[in-house]
């Protein structure tokens, strides 16, 4: 009896199998399965090969999977595409014992170990998802890089490029960010960044998002533009939390648990402190993620399966086991 968790994203797709006790049996990762970026055929290939590989690593068959939860980027935003994605997954698993959701649900399931609360994803894109004590759910943000995704790594990467161009021109005073970008891309002339954007980054969402890490380097050197960008990101994520709270009915006697996932939050205090500050007037508690999104997805698969079968089990022990086992994944990343 195994439970499959899949965490898709704009950069990579992670797969994990856990057993009924929460032991991590196998883990692997593939390229992004975002069907809008890669198309349906490549989506199918990545999901199929990822599931096949994670089963092979555990010396089991796809038939041995009891239930699966797949957090897929872009899922739920287009009804016809949603139907097509579900059909593709059903064909891959040759089973109806699965559930697909947006990848933000995997982030929620991991950060909060499937407990009521809100999770904010600040990865290649940005989105928030929450569930209240009655089981109702809601999301906010996640409109894509053209319409929104404020506070995402892409959003930060694009603004970094803009700041570099302004500093290069003299429209803004040069800060550490200017030299960090020049050194990173070995620019002989400032205008060479245009070639980098078009040819090296190819103006692609995931590649532009990847340079957001340069902001962290700048922030550590007390770069005012980098620090202010992180403050703006924290503010944007706080708006998402507030929007979700207004859509749901949380128990007023308990603090609302709010957590986070995604590479943007690896900037630590630079984004977390302003994020927390903008939520300080709410009855909430900011907590560190309890599990990874991919293991959260596997736990979610277990809980959905149990609910369908009216089965009860001690999830606290299972969560503790997964937490102890996650070091296997962290070493692999």
């Amino acid at each position: 009896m195994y439970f499959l968790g899949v965490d898709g994203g704009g950069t990579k797709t992670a797969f994990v199998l856990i057993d009924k006790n929460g032991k991590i049996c196998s883990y692997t990762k593939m390229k992004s399965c975002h069907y809008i970026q890669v198309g349906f055929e490549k989506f199918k290939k990545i999901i199929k090969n990822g599931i096949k590989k994670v089963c092979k690593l555990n010396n089991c068959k796809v038939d041995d999977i009891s239930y699966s939860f797949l957090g897929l980027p872009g899922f739920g935003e287009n009804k016809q595409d949603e139907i097509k994605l579900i059909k593709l997954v059903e064909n891959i698993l040759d089973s109806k014992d699965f559930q697909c959701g947006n990848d933000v649900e995997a982030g929620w399931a991991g950060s909060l170990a499937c407990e009521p609360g809100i999770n904010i994803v600040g990865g290649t894109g940005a989105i928030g998802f929450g569930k209240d004590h009655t089981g109702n759910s809601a999301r906010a943000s996640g409109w894509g890089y053209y319409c929104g995704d404020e506070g995402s790594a892409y959003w930060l990467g694009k603004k970094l490029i803009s700041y570099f161009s302004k500093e290069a021109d003299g429209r803004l005073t040069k800060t550490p960010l200017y030299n960090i970008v020049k050194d990173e891309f070995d620019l002989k002339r400032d205008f060479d960044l245009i070639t980098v954007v078009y040819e090296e980054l190819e103006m692609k969402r995931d590649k532009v998002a990847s340079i957001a890490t340069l902001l962290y380097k700048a922030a550590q050197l007390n770069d005012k533009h980098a620090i202010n960008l992180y403050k703006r990101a924290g503010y944007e994520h706080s708006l998402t939390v507030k929007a979700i709270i207004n859509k749901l009915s949380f128990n007023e006697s308990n603090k609302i648990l709010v957590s986070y996932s995604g590479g943007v939050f690896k900037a630590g205090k630079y984004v977390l402190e302003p994020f927390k500050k903008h939520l300080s007037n709410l009855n909430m508690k900011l907590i560190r993620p309890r599990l990874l999104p991919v293991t959260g997805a596997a736990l979610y698969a277990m809980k959905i399966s149990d609910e369908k079968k009216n089965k009860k089990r001690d999830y606290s022990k299972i969560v503790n086991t997964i937490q102890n086992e996650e070091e296997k994944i962290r070493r692999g990343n």
Side-chain angles (χ1 to χ4, degrees):
M1 182 183 289
Y2 302 107
F3 299 93
L4 170 69
V6 178
D7 172 40
T11 304
K12 64 178 176 63
T13 306
F15 302 77
V16 73
L17 281 179
I18 65 171
D19 68 12
K20 63 181 181 179
N21 299 311
K23 181 179 182 294
I24 294 176
C25 302
S26 56
Y27 166 81
T28 192
K29 60 182 178 180
M30 310 286 283
K31 292 181 179 180
S32 172
C33 68
H34 193 171
Y35 75 96
I36 295 175
Q37 291 180 201
V38 304
F40 285 106
E41 279 305 311
K42 203 161 185 181
F43 165 86
K44 180 181 177 181
K45 183 178 180 182
I46 290 167
I47 296 297
K48 184 175 182 178
N49 289 345
I51 294 173
K52 184 178 179 181
K53 185 175 179 182
V54 83
C55 287
K56 184 177 180 181
L57 289 169
N58 188 45
N59 195 29
C60 69
K61 299 177 181 178
V62 176
D63 292 346
D64 295 323
I65 299 172
S66 295
Y67 206 88
S68 307
F69 179 80
L70 297 88
L72 306 175
F75 187 87
E77 292 161 13
N78 181 296
K79 191 62 181 176
Q80 293 305 312
D81 289 352
E82 180 181 320
I83 294 169
K84 190 169 183 178
L85 291 170
I86 291 172
K87 191 65 180 176
L88 287 172
V89 173
E90 184 179 333
N91 290 337
I92 291 167
L93 291 171
D94 192 24
S95 168
K96 293 183 181 292
D97 292 328
F98 70 91
Q99 183 171 308
C100 293
N102 192 280
D103 56 316
V104 72
E105 291 188 59
W108 162 81
S111 288
L112 294 162
C114 298
E115 295 296 325
I118 297 169
N119 182 66
I120 297 295
V121 176
T124 304
I127 191 171
F129 177 85
K131 270 196 176 186
D132 60 25
H133 294 78
T134 65
N136 290 321
S137 63
R139 57 171 276 186
S141 189
W143 285 77
Y145 70 94
Y146 190 83
C147 299
D149 275 0
E150 298 88 352
S152 69
Y154 174 86
W155 183 84
L156 290 170
K158 192 169 183 298
K159 289 189 178 296
L160 178 149
I161 293 168
S162 176
Y163 270 112
F164 176 86
S165 69
K166 288 180 178 179
E167 292 188 13
D169 278 349
R171 286 178 285 160
L172 290 174
T173 304
K174 287 184 175 65
T175 63
L177 182 149
Y178 172 79
N179 288 319
I180 286 171
V181 174
K182 284 202 76 169
D183 292 344
E184 175 71 19
F185 298 110
D186 193 24
L187 303 180
K188 307 304 180 188
R189 304 179 313 137
D190 292 340
F191 278 119
D192 290 342
L193 184 66
I194 297 173
T195 303
V196 170
V197 170
Y198 279 92
E199 296 184 4
E200 188 173 330
L201 301 180
E202 302 177 283
M203 297 178 65
K204 289 185 176 179
R205 182 169 169 261
D206 56 338
K207 291 187 177 182
V208 172
S210 71
I211 67 170
T213 55
L214 301 181
L215 271 180
Y216 181 62
K217 292 182 180 180
Q220 288 180 305
L221 295 175
N222 205 33
D223 187 293
K224 62 182 180 180
H225 297 314
I227 290 171
N228 284 334
L229 274 176
Y230 279 127
K231 286 181 179 178
R232 287 174 61 187
Y235 170 70
E236 293 292 348
H237 292 313
S238 75
L239 293 180
T240 302
V241 171
K242 291 174 182 178
I244 294 171
I245 289 173
N246 289 335
K247 293 178 180 182
L248 297 175
S249 300
F250 286 101
N251 189 334
E252 293 183 3
S253 62
N254 297 325
K255 286 187 178 295
I256 302 168
L257 297 181
V258 177
S259 193
Y260 50 88
S261 54
V264 169
F265 290 102
K266 289 181 180 179
K269 65 179 183 180
Y270 297 111
V271 66
L272 287 172
E273 287 181 2
F275 179 48
K276 190 174 182 178
K277 178 184 176 182
H278 288 297
L279 296 173
S280 60
N281 63 331
L282 299 177
N283 182 34
M284 53 76 64
K285 180 181 179 182
L286 187 65
I287 64 169
R288 292 171 59 87
R290 296 184 66 189
L291 303 174
L292 294 169
V294 68
T295 49
L299 175 67
Y300 199 21
M302 182 188 292
K303 294 197 77 168
I304 294 169
S305 176
D306 288 348
E307 286 170 7
K308 288 179 178 292
K309 298 174 181 177
N310 292 317
K311 185 174 183 178
K312 304 289 184 182
R313 71 173 91 208
D314 186 353
Y315 294 110
S316 61
K317 289 184 178 179
I318 293 166
V319 170
N320 288 336
T321 300
I322 295 173
Q323 288 173 329
N324 293 331
E325 291 271 312
E326 279 187 349
E327 185 57 31
K328 296 177 183 178
I329 293 177
R330 297 183 194 279
R331 284 199 301 265
N333 282 335

